[in-house]
Amino acid sequence: MARDTTVSVAGMDLLGRRLDRMPAAVQEGARRAVIGETRETADDMREGAPRDTGALAESVQEEIDAGGLTGRAVATARHATFVEHGTEDTPEQPFAQPAAERARRRFPRRVKKETGVSLRKLAR
């Protein structure tokens, strides 16, 4: 004869609510990672820009979309492309590409860290 067995697990409601909030927590962590990486990349570009008048470094700007999940660091000086890639008369002086390469290596760790922070806060 089969017996009716009932198992009750305490905290399932709390777990359900936390799981429902997880996507928002991950998105918030990703948002912090994008903003932080965009700012650091812009700083790297400013630091790596050749100094003559300082106009090139001063032209570096951070652009972050309204949702915070896309960011760009850009040099808006008219001569930025000529400095980066050179011309027939002047050698290239890359400052954006090296900053982008550092960001490419750094960003995955930053996302992992920031999303982890958000998830740990959620678990409390």
Side-chain angles (χ1 to χ4, degrees), residues 65-79:
D65 76 339
L69 293 175
T70 304
R72 296 180 346 145
V74 296
T76 60
R78 208 177 107 240
H79 61 291

Side-chain angles (χ1 to χ4, degrees), residues 40 61 83 91:
E40 192 164 350
Q61 299 175 8
V83 173

Side-chain angles (χ1 to χ4, degrees), residues 41-118:
T41 301
D43 288 343
D44 287 348
M45 287 173 66
R46 287 181 198 104
E47 187 176 304
R51 304 273 177 194
D52 187 16
T53 65
L56 181 57
E58 290 173 12
S59 80
V60 175
Q61 299 175 8
E62 304 152 20
E63 298 175 355
I64 299 170
D65 76 339
L69 293 175
T70 304
R72 296 180 346 145
V74 296
T76 60
R78 208 177 107 240
H79 61 291
T81 301
F82 303 121
V83 173
E84 180 76 14
H85 300 290
T87 67
E88 288 182 14
D89 300 324
T90 59
E92 63 182 27
Q93 298 178 67
F95 65 97
Q97 184 58 38
E101 182 59 29
R102 285 190 294 277
R104 185 190 66 77
R105 290 191 309 264
R106 236 182 356 231
F107 188 61
R109 288 187 304 273
R110 188 179 299 250
V111 170
K112 182 178 177 182
K113 176 186 171 207
E114 293 294 348
T115 55
V117 166
S118 290

